[in-house]
Amino acid sequence: MKGLFITLEGGDGAGKSTQIRNIERFFRRKGLVVVHTREPGGTPISEKLRNILLDNENSEMDPVTEMMIYAASRAQNVREKILPAIERGDIVICDRFVDSSVAYQAYGRQLGDMVEEVNRHATGGLVPDITFWMDIDPEAGKARAAKAGDLDRLELEKMDFHYRVYEGYRRIAEKDPDRVKRIDAADTVDNIRDHIYECLEELCRSKGI
Ligand code: TMP
């Protein structure tokens, strides 16, 4: 049996980490092995690329350079970590994936269709079985992220950038409703968990897990 590939998406400060822990718990209770990864990052090489991407000193980074480093980090993560785990039958939970590049680089940086094209090569066509979009208002998300600690290079972008990212996520969810589940990130932590668990039960039923 092949494993599952689950991704979480959303603007900064959407509360992804808490729900990732809940998703891990859901599958461990079923006796399945859970592999956790994140983007940018997830492997030693990809984590080095992450440091370049989020470094506040790299304010001169060109948007095309940025998009390609995100894709490079992903190519390594897919081949070194994600695909081998899925082949073993494990459950892979990835904090952000291609949808982040579409939202932040195609919409936020306004790079358009080039982003999906480059990412097709980066992923070799791998698409998540299910994606949870933690939908949070950009102002509220930025405030939560600021409260949690220092803001990174992307988080420091102006509000109009974050509104374009939001519009990107909205369109991704509209285009692919079977895969992308919208989760109201303003709801209580317990309600969010229950909603996510309902979606996961349905996914497991459809895959015979
Ligand atoms: P994180 O703070 O959720 O770990 O994500 C790091 C930042 O990188 C976050 O602001 C979103 C951004 N990002 C992109 O711009 N494009 C991408 O493809 C990914 C994965 C993240």
Side-chain angles (χ1 to χ4, degrees):
M1 183 198 97
K2 279 206 178 185
L4 291 176
F5 183 36
I6 298 165
T7 61
L8 278 95
E9 293 286 351
D12 300 296
K16 285 182 284 122
S17 316
T18 309
Q19 297 309 326
I20 286 172
R21 282 194 293 277
N22 281 331
I23 297 171
E24 280 185 25
R25 216 166 285 139
F26 176 93
F27 286 104
R28 290 217 167 100
R29 268 197 229 127
K30 288 185 184 283
L32 293 162
V33 176
V34 176
V35 173
H36 179 241
T37 187
R38 66 170 179 181
E39 296 206 339
T43 72
I45 293 171
S46 308
E47 289 292 329
K48 286 185 186 164
L49 296 172
R50 177 184 177 92
N51 291 338
I52 298 172
L53 285 162
L54 302 185
D55 188 346
N56 286 334
E57 283 186 10
N58 290 336
S59 57
E60 275 145 51
M61 191 182 292
D62 181 84
V64 176
T65 310
E66 177 185 282
M67 183 270 289
M68 288 187 168
I69 302 178
Y70 277 112
S73 164
R74 181 163 300 130
Q76 189 65 30
N77 196 20
V78 165
R79 288 163 181 78
E80 186 179 335
K81 195 164 184 181
I82 300 174
L83 283 180
I86 296 172
E87 287 299 324
R88 286 195 303 270
D90 296 348
I91 309 297
V92 181
I93 305 174
C94 193
D95 184 348
R96 300 190 178 281
F97 196 58
V98 175
D99 297 325
S100 280
S101 282
V102 173
Y104 284 79
Q105 279 68 52
Y107 284 87
R109 300 283 190 226
Q110 300 176 296
L111 291 180
D113 294 343
M114 167 197 344
V115 177
E116 287 192 54
E117 176 62 26
V118 168
N119 275 281
R120 257 194 297 281
H121 297 285
T123 62
L126 176 69
V127 177
D129 292 293
I130 194 166
T131 298
F132 294 105
W133 169 37
M134 307 291 293
D135 177 0
I136 188 162
D137 166 72
E139 293 278 0
K142 196 165 183 189
R144 279 206 216 166
K147 222 172 140 190
D150 293 339
L151 298 177
D152 65 39
R153 197 174 58 82
L154 279 285
E155 287 165 341
L156 282 169
E157 280 294 328
K158 296 192 183 70
M159 273 325 290
D160 55 350
F161 173 82
H162 293 287
Y163 277 103
R164 285 197 300 274
V165 170
Y166 185 83
E167 176 60 13
Y169 275 126
R170 210 190 51 72
R171 291 211 197 165
I172 290 166
E174 194 177 75
K175 220 170 100 183
D176 204 350
D178 288 342
R179 172 179 67 88
V180 183
K181 309 295 175 196
R182 193 191 82 86
I183 305 290
D184 179 5
D187 206 344
T188 65
V189 172
D190 287 354
N191 284 349
I192 293 175
R193 180 203 54 211
D194 292 349
H195 185 185
I196 289 178
Y197 279 12
E198 272 169 35
C199 297
L200 290 176
E201 288 292 0
E202 195 185 317
L203 175 68
C204 287
R205 264 198 304 277
S206 76
K207 300 273 180 187
I209 293 175

